[in-house]
Amino acid sequence: MSLALRLALRDLRGGLTGLRLLAICLFLGVGALAAVGSLSSAIVTGLSEEGQSILGGDIQVEVVQRAATPEELAGLRAEGEVSHITRMRAMAARPDGADSVLVELKGVDGAYPLYGQFRLQPGALAPRPSGNQVAVAPELAERLRLHIGDNIRIGTASLTIIGLIAEEPDRVGQGFTLGSTALVDRAGLAATGLVQPGSLYTSAYRIKLPAGMALEAVTERIEERFPDSGFDIDDRSNGAPGTRRFIERLGQFLTLVGLTALVVAGIGVGNGVTSYLDGKRGIIATLKMLGATSRTIFLSYLLQIGLVALAAIIAGLAIGALVPWIVTQIAGSALPVPPLLSLYPQPLLISAAYGLLIALVFALLPLARARTVPAASLFRGSLDLLRRPGWRLVIAVVFAAGLIAALAVATAREPGFAAGFIAAALGLLFLLTSLGWLIRWVAARLPRPRNPLFRLALANLHRPAAQTGKLVVALGLGLTLFTTLAVIETNLSGQIRTTIPETAPSFFMLDIPIEEVDRFRALATEAAPRGDLVTIPSLRGSIVAIGDQRVSEMAEIPEGAWFLRGDRGLTYAREIPEGSRVVEGRWWAPDYHGDPLISLDVEAARAVGLQVGDTITVSILGREIEAKIASFREINWDTMGFNFVVIFAPGTLEDAPHSFMATISMPADEEPAFSRAVANAFPSVSVIRVKEVVETVAGMLGQLSVAVRSAASVAIFAGIAVLIGALAASRRARIYDSVMLKLLGATRARILMAQAIEFLALALIVATLAFGLGAGAGWYVVVEVLELEWGPDWSVVTLTLVAGALVTLVLGLLGSLPALAARPARALRTL
């Protein structure tokens, strides 16, 4: 070992020529993994550490469409200090009514916030609003062209803007909202006149517990004391569950993309080591002739490769560890929660383990040539195929590969998904390797073309020491990644365009008072004579039991059962809504009167294993209603009309306090007048413009697309490095061919043309396979992982694939130029 180490260090003094590819591949792969892991850990830790501020308390108790009763409020106050917050959507308008916009209205009491700090920007008239005052988000003031001291109309109140919100500690905990924040105190909320029976609002009671009190015990006491209240209870350990689930799921996907980049880089490592050792043939031969054993040579070059790999891994870890700082500086405002900047050892150690194992797996087999090729063969410069490595080496490679798979599964949030990903990656490598072997086998048995260029190109595919297999793997991985990325990109960018129908509504309207529905319909007809108005009853409620199983007692909400989390929109209807189709059971008669019946979304029913005739219990305004499932519906959500997971039969909800919702479709030229008319005549009605919703969702999808593109680009760069490595590994053989052909009279142009035909043939064959593989992989990512609609732009995908094939062709030809430049006399002396 001592001798091997001395030889390795002396050899490295001559520079890293030949090992640069190994270093670049490992740096890219390890850096990508470390970056994704560190950033994900920083955000999730930030959510946990700031749980009290994000939630607004140690425990939050929410109830919809009502406030807590005096008895309930007394029970909550018995646990600790309580802050009452009311949230609802509302319309904010300029005093002259010229413009209006949807806002997230928040009414707070004097105890708000229990944790964190509420702060206004410099220049505010007061620290916080009181009475007929309001603090607004900067983008809201900019949208309505208002300034501090101006008045803004919300509901029936004219409120004075006292400042622009600089810090709202519980903003992330509120989840996705369509409007900017407008914050008032309890008196200001009452002045708006928006909190009425049937209005859609949420009452949140945040509790600050005494030090040392257990969260679980408090939660259990509240649930036991008020079992029928319909409370939705969260605690500080998971202040923003939706954000956490999204970050963890996206983090897992990006981690697997990074692992893909590392596996691709591993193939580049193998090619780089092969090329490096091929360039060391003279040194290896000399050492063997001087008495060096195969073991000494093996250990010497293993140590060289290990030292370079270790340096590359450390550099990748350093970059990955810095990514949270870099992202915070560049795009901190775009993140859902500020990352907690720190050094996170776990993702770095996992990334380092991946890097070391990948380097070991892909470097061992090329290193075996130092043990299996005799010195005489090395001196002759033979291009014969190498003997198979020994069984011990094969076992070591298999064991290291098994460790990689075990590490990926053990550290994944969803082990089954990770195992499937690994199986797919191995399947892809096996398929491409088999394709390379098949191409060589077929090329060797095809008739020899009469054209010398085609004959030479065909011979290059199957001659001894041909790199066809490595080139197919490199091309296949690169083109498959290109295609997969194009499929994902076009799906994300086309989600809005492909899912919004041409007849989508122009506006959604919420909180229409039930007693004002007829007047609202009349105004809509007058303000938009060419409009198509649809009104429907609207309530909010939560599903609290599936049969006899209470949702609160479930160990884990089943995958896909999102409708069991929090409160849901409810309605009642006599006829089947547009966009729905009964697929099982029967719809009730229009004049039905009897026990409560519901119609349920079929996908929701499958997620929890329900059948027609089963029962579910829904809590509405604190009252639990057990209803029998009469039918399952298939819902076409793309209509952008009102589609509800749960629809009640007539006779159950009509007497409950509720409001109406409406959609209206109209020509674009009628939209401004209609919006102003509704805002002036119905200040309590929230008007949501579909175009603004689309822009908001498109922005979110754009951010997601950037994350996917950034991670996938690393894999693509690694794929390009693999192609370069494959060309480098075949450099010696191509120099030999080029010199022999030149001696026989071939020109550089003809040799280059023959190689172009070779690369083009491989590119065409591999591109056909890559198209199918990339489309399949893209479908799985879009539909199963990101849970979006499937709708790629095949023209863009095809152009991307063609461009990728041309890039690989150009790279292949550029890689052949050194072989063409070799002078026959000099080359013959060294080959």
Side-chain angles (χ1 to χ4, degrees):
M1 178 63 72
S2 176
L3 175 61
L5 180 60
R6 289 201 306 271
L7 290 173
L9 293 176
R10 288 177 181 176
D11 208 0
L12 286 175
R13 291 174 189 171
L16 297 180
T17 303
L19 289 179
R20 292 195 186 101
L21 180 63
L22 177 147
I24 291 172
C25 288
L26 283 178
F27 172 78
L28 287 173
V30 172
L33 276 177
V36 170
S38 296
L39 183 59
S40 178
S41 297
I43 295 177
V44 171
T45 304
L47 286 171
S48 300
E49 292 293 326
E50 300 296 325
Q52 289 176 321
S53 298
I54 291 172
L55 185 67
D58 294 306
I59 289 179
Q60 175 176 272
V61 177
E62 283 189 340
V63 62
V64 296
Q65 288 190 285
R66 71 177 183 90
T69 64
E71 180 186 0
E72 291 169 341
L73 188 56
L76 299 179
R77 285 175 173 164
E79 302 294 347
E81 184 181 357
V82 175
S83 175
H84 178 200
I85 295 90
T86 300
R87 298 197 313 270
M88 66 187 308
R89 285 178 293 265
M91 295 301 294
R94 290 177 53 85
D96 56 8
D99 198 5
S100 60
V101 65
L102 183 73
V103 298
E104 186 76 10
L105 181 62
K106 180 189 289 188
V108 303
D109 60 10
Y112 172 86
L114 294 176
Y115 292 99
Q117 181 183 11
F118 174 76
R119 185 170 55 85
L120 300 179
Q121 292 182 6
L125 303 179
R128 56 189 298 156
S130 63
N132 286 343
Q133 295 176 338
V134 62
V136 301
E139 61 270 18
L140 173 58
E142 182 180 356
R143 172 72 183 274
L144 293 179
R145 303 181 304 282
L146 295 174
H147 304 87
I148 295 175
D150 293 343
N151 287 341
I152 185 173
R153 195 181 73 206
I154 301 178
T156 57
S158 179
L159 306 174
T160 301
I161 299 175
I162 64 155
L164 306 180
I165 298 174
E167 186 175 348
E168 185 183 0
D170 57 339
R171 182 70 179 86
V172 174
Q174 296 172 197
F176 174 72
T177 59
L178 291 174
S180 302
T181 300
L183 188 140
V184 297
D185 67 358
R186 306 303 303 178
L189 181 65
T192 64
L194 295 176
V195 179
Q196 301 291 336
S199 299
L200 297 178
Y201 66 93
T202 299
S203 296
Y205 297 87
R206 280 85 177 265
I207 306 174
K208 184 177 183 179
L209 301 178
M213 186 171 290
L215 298 175
E216 296 80 3
V218 176
T219 301
E220 290 176 2
R221 283 199 297 270
I222 295 174
E223 291 175 343
E224 291 174 359
R225 185 169 181 180
F226 307 109
D228 302 325
S229 62
F231 285 162
D232 183 18
I233 305 176
D234 293 308
D235 62 55
R236 64 172 182 258
S237 65
N238 197 14
T243 302
R244 178 185 291 270
R245 284 195 300 272
F246 175 77
I247 293 298
E248 288 178 345
R249 195 174 188 90
L250 182 61
Q252 174 175 301
F253 166 67
L254 295 180
T255 296
L256 293 178
V257 172
L259 185 56
T260 301
L262 194 54
V263 172
V264 172
I267 300 173
V269 168
N271 291 337
V273 172
T274 299
S275 176
Y276 177 68
L277 291 176
D278 195 52
K280 297 290 183 178
R281 294 167 68 92
I283 295 176
I284 294 173
T286 302
L287 290 172
K288 281 198 169 186
M289 296 300 294
L290 292 175
T293 64
S294 295
R295 175 183 175 84
T296 300
I297 292 174
F298 178 84
L299 289 175
S300 173
Y301 285 100
L302 179 63
L303 288 171
Q304 288 186 48
I305 292 166
L307 290 173
V308 174
L310 186 61
I313 290 171
I314 292 174
L317 294 177
I319 293 297
L322 291 174
V323 162
W325 277 269
I326 297 171
V327 171
T328 301
Q329 294 298 319
I330 297 176
S333 60
L335 297 174
V337 63
L340 185 63
L341 299 179
S342 181
L343 188 66
Y344 295 93
Q346 182 177 354
L348 298 181
L349 290 174
I350 292 173
S351 301
Y354 276 130
L356 289 172
L357 290 172
I358 288 287
L360 183 65
V361 166
F362 288 95
L364 279 179
L365 292 179
L367 277 170
R369 72 185 307 167
R371 301 175 61 95
T372 60
V373 180
S377 176
L378 289 170
F379 274 120
R380 287 196 303 269
S382 172
L383 296 177
D384 293 338
L385 298 177
L386 299 175
R387 296 198 300 267
R388 294 181 180 179
W391 61 270
R392 293 180 181 177
L393 192 62
V394 173
I395 291 177
V397 171
V398 172
F399 180 72
L403 286 179
I404 295 172
L407 183 62
V409 173
T411 58
R413 181 171 173 263
E414 298 178 12
F417 175 72
F421 177 86
I422 292 171
L426 292 176
L428 175 60
L429 291 176
F430 175 78
L431 184 61
L432 292 174
T433 303
S434 300
L435 178 62
W437 177 87
L438 181 63
I439 290 174
R440 291 190 64 173
W441 185 85
V442 172
R445 286 158 178 78
L446 286 176
R448 298 177 65 186
R450 299 184 63 180
N451 187 302
L453 291 179
F454 286 96
R455 187 165 62 249
L456 180 59
L458 184 64
N460 283 341
L461 294 175
H462 66 84
R463 59 176 170 76
Q467 299 294 316
T468 302
K470 292 182 178 179
L471 288 173
V472 167
V473 171
L475 281 171
L477 289 172
L479 294 181
T480 299
L481 288 170
F482 270 116
T483 306
T484 302
L485 180 59
V487 169
I488 296 174
E489 280 282 302
T490 56
N491 264 280
L492 291 175
S493 61
Q495 281 297 303
I496 304 300
R497 172 175 44 82
T498 58
T499 57
I500 295 181
E502 296 181 1
T503 57
S506 303
F507 293 98
F508 291 102
M509 287 144 291
L510 311 176
D511 293 329
I512 304 171
I514 189 171
E515 64 275 6
E516 298 281 354
V517 171
D518 291 336
R519 187 167 75 90
F520 180 85
R521 289 171 179 152
L523 180 138
T525 302
E526 180 182 351
R530 292 177 289 173
D532 181 15
L533 180 70
V534 176
T535 58
I536 190 168
S538 172
L539 301 89
R540 301 290 291 182
S542 58
I543 298 175
V544 296
I546 303 292
D548 297 329
Q549 174 69 53
R550 302 289 296 186
V551 173
S552 60
E553 297 175 356
M554 290 182 176
E556 185 177 0
I557 300 296
E559 185 72 21
W562 52 269
F563 61 97
L564 298 181
R565 296 187 176 98
D567 59 289
R568 302 261 72 82
L570 305 172
T571 190
Y572 56 90
R574 299 182 182 277
E575 305 292 340
I576 302 175
E578 183 181 356
S580 292
R581 180 174 65 91
V582 174
V583 295
E584 189 175 343
R586 296 177 57 187
W587 191 263
W588 44 76
D591 57 350
Y592 174 82
H593 289 284
D595 294 334
L597 296 178
I598 63 166
S599 179
L600 191 65
D601 171 36
V602 65
E603 295 296 331
R606 289 172 180 167
V608 292
L610 287 170
Q611 303 292 331
V612 171
D614 292 342
T615 61
I616 67 171
T617 304
V618 183
S619 176
I620 302 174
L621 299 174
R623 177 190 171 191
E624 294 191 358
I625 302 173
E626 185 179 68
K628 182 179 179 181
I629 300 174
S631 64
F632 293 147
R633 288 169 296 116
E634 185 178 78
I635 301 176
N636 180 12
W637 300 98
D638 293 343
T639 62
M640 292 200 71
F642 286 125
N643 292 302
F644 293 81
V645 173
V646 178
I647 297 179
F648 275 82
T652 303
L653 304 181
E654 284 87 334
D655 294 333
H658 63 282
S659 59
F660 269 69
M661 308 167 75
T663 62
I664 187 168
S665 303
M666 66 183 70
D669 58 349
E670 293 183 354
E671 291 181 1
F674 175 81
S675 179
R676 286 194 299 269
V678 172
N680 292 327
F682 295 90
S684 65
V685 174
S686 300
V687 181
I688 303 173
R689 193 180 183 191
V690 171
K691 183 179 180 180
E692 294 177 354
V693 177
V694 169
E695 291 174 351
T696 300
V697 176
M700 295 174 62
L701 290 174
Q703 293 177 357
L704 180 61
S705 177
V706 170
V708 173
R709 189 187 309 124
S710 300
S713 62
V714 177
I716 289 177
F717 285 132
I720 293 174
V722 169
L723 178 62
I724 295 173
L727 294 172
S730 63
R731 179 181 56 188
R732 184 178 178 84
R734 292 193 179 277
I735 291 176
Y736 182 91
D737 290 344
S738 176
V739 168
M740 292 298 104
L741 290 171
K742 284 181 180 180
L743 291 175
L744 294 174
T747 63
R748 292 183 180 182
R750 283 183 170 273
I751 297 173
L752 187 64
M753 182 63 68
Q755 293 181 354
I757 295 172
E758 174 193 353
F759 290 138
L760 183 61
L762 287 177
L764 290 175
I765 295 172
V766 175
T768 303
L769 178 64
F771 186 85
L773 293 174
W779 174 88
Y780 185 81
V781 170
V782 170
V783 176
E784 298 297 330
V785 178
L786 301 179
E787 297 181 356
L788 300 174
E789 293 293 327
W790 174 249
D793 188 333
W794 293 114
S795 60
V796 174
V797 173
T798 303
L799 288 175
T800 303
L801 180 61
V802 171
L806 290 176
V807 168
T808 57
L809 177 62
V810 171
L811 288 175
L813 294 178
L814 290 176
S816 300
L817 293 180
L820 296 178
R823 296 181 179 276
R826 180 182 301 174
L828 287 174
R829 286 196 297 268
T830 57
L831 282 175

